[in-house]
Amino acid sequence: QNLAATKAKVQNLGIKKIDGKDLLALQYSSKHSTDMQVFLYFDPETGRHLHTVYTMNRNEGPTGDIRSIPYQREIKYRMEERFSDFRTENGMTLPAHYDLQWSEETQNGSTRLFDWDLTADQIVHNVALDPANFEIK
């Protein structure tokens, strides 16, 4: 929202084909995290945010065991968000479907993959919240 104050950069990458659709692609670069890449994808007609990809590669420091140095690999993280099934309720348009995929390629060569797939059955707003929901127990 305030790129000048945060010294972050947003670069327009033009139209990219994602999942068979032409989407407007932007790359966000933070001043504070140079090893993370963030790509945002928008519907060029509606401006709706449809997809985000976050990637980060990290080299872990030495373990102190000289035998492990040849086996040290870069750890790769990737998170993808997908927004779809947009619905308009009371003048507000929101995605009713959200899919999040997280993957991590570890130093030992294994890959962990997690997938959360959420669908909203109902969209409501101005709902009274019970203050007890925010109490630390």
Side-chain angles (χ1 to χ4, degrees), residues 2 31 38 41 53 61 75 78 82 106 109:
N2 191 353
K31 174 191 173 206
V38 180
Y41 300 93
V53 177
I75 299 175
R78 181 180 179 92
R82 296 175 194 275
T106 63

Side-chain angles (χ1 to χ4, degrees), residues 1-60:
Q1 186 175 10
N2 191 353
L3 296 175
T6 62
K7 297 187 176 146
K9 295 178 184 173
V10 175
Q11 180 181 1
N12 183 343
L13 301 176
I15 299 295
K16 302 287 182 186
K17 194 168 286 291
I18 304 292
D19 297 331
K21 298 177 186 171
D22 288 335
L23 301 180
L24 175 62
L26 301 176
Q27 182 175 5
Y28 171 85
S29 301
S30 167
K31 174 191 173 206
H32 302 290
S33 180
T34 57
D35 55 351
M36 179 183 283
Q37 293 186 330
V38 180
F39 296 93
L40 303 136
Y41 300 93
F42 298 86
D43 182 318
E45 293 178 19
T46 65
R48 291 181 184 150
H49 178 199
L50 300 179
H51 190 113
T52 309
V53 177
Y54 307 85
T55 61
M56 183 169 56
N57 299 338
R58 287 274 169 116
N59 286 316
E60 292 299 316

